[in-house]
């Protein structure tokens, strides 16, 4: 009962947060292993509620359960695009990555929502990447492929986030119209000490390149990890 009461409180607070502009975005850099320049940025949402910073894992699942993610997702996409436009003059080639939640993805008007934001902000669609997870895609395969194709038609690029932790089905991977694969950070954390993790990372890189996909390694925090990934042919580190 206490847990449900707390979830209801947070749900109401989230609605107020949208109205009171309590959410903000931070941007995590993605760096090319070839040029060593920043090639993209991933937008991540943060919530400053009263005097504390609420961790995403504490409010996003509740927002998902209570049907608030489409609102939060559209807010995040629009504000990420507006922020990214400020960098366009000095860094015109930088891409913008934004996460899409299951609730957003499976709503019938996702493509229309993305199109609306692109029109309102005048953000170049070819510089926008929407990140989706494997588990999200598997919920309704045919519908997922159709939605992804529609987003591609807008000029938007797609990436599979946290690859290797979900289904990782090769038969499905070839059907998804995606341009980028992101290796989950759980395989990167012990990369230089764990032969199995290194073997998995290398296999994902080689497979993705065979399918003409770009590879991003998430959670790279040391020079040793970077050097190893660079030698494997990984395209981008984050």
């Amino acid at each position: 009962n206490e847990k449900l009461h707390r979830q209801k409180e947070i749900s109401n607070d989230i609605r107020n947060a949208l109205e009171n502009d309590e959410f903000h975005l931070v941007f995590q850099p993605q760096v090319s292993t070839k040029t060593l320049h920043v090639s993209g940025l991933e937008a991540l949402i943060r919530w400053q509620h009263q005097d504390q910073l609420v961790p995403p894992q504490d409010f996003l699942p509740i927002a998902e359960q209570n049907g608030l993610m489409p609102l939060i997702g559209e807010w995040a996409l629009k504000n990420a695009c507006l922020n990214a436009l400020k960098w366009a003059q000095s860094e015109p080639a930088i891409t913008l990555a934004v996460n899409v939640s299951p609730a957003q993805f499976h709503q019938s008007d996702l493509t229309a929502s993305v199109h609306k934001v692109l029109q309102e902000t005048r953000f170049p669609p070819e510089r926008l990447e929407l990140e989706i997870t494997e588990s999200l895609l598997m919920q309704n395969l045919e519908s997922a492929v159709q939605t992804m194709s529609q987003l591609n038609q807008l000029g938007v690029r797609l990436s599979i986030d946290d690859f290797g932790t979900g289904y990782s089905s090769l038969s499905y991977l070839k059907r998804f119209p995606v341009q980028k694969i992101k290796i989950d950070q759980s395989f990167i954390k012990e990369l230089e000490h764990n032969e199995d993790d290194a073997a998995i990372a290398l296999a994902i890189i080689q497979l993705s390149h065979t399918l003409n996909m770009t590879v991003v390694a998430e959670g790279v925090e040391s020079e040793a990890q970077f050097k190893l990934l660079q030698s494997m042919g990984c395209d981008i580190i984050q």
Side-chain angles (χ1 to χ4, degrees), residues 36-150:
L36 304 187
H37 292 158
V38 174
S39 61
L41 293 159
E42 179 181 352
L44 302 168
I45 192 167
R46 296 292 183 264
W47 181 16
Q48 186 68 43
H49 181 52
Q50 297 174 354
D51 295 330
Q52 62 177 342
L53 186 64
V54 184
Q57 63 269 25
D58 286 357
F59 71 89
L60 290 181
I62 295 174
E64 187 89 23
Q65 293 168 15
N66 289 275
L68 297 172
M69 278 310 299
L71 288 174
I72 294 176
E74 186 167 327
W75 177 91
L77 178 60
K78 183 174 182 178
N79 282 273
C81 288
L82 289 173
N83 272 276
L85 283 173
K86 299 174 184 177
W87 319 317
Q89 293 182 346
S90 58
E91 300 288 349
I94 285 183
T95 59
L96 170 66
V98 181
N99 289 282
V100 175
S101 75
Q104 279 178 278
F105 189 84
H106 292 296
Q107 69 181 28
S108 59
D109 60 347
L110 174 63
T111 304
S113 177
V114 173
H115 183 56
K116 174 187 170 187
V117 169
L118 290 173
Q119 283 193 318
E120 288 179 350
T121 62
R122 297 188 178 181
F123 189 78
E126 66 276 7
R127 287 180 52 209
L128 177 62
E129 291 178 1
L130 297 181
E131 296 191 2
I132 48 187
T133 61
E134 296 171 88
S135 56
L136 178 156
L137 296 173
M138 303 303 293
Q139 293 175 20
N140 188 332
L141 183 62
E142 296 304 324
S143 175
V145 171
Q146 182 179 4
T147 299
M148 295 166 76
S149 297
Q150 291 172 348

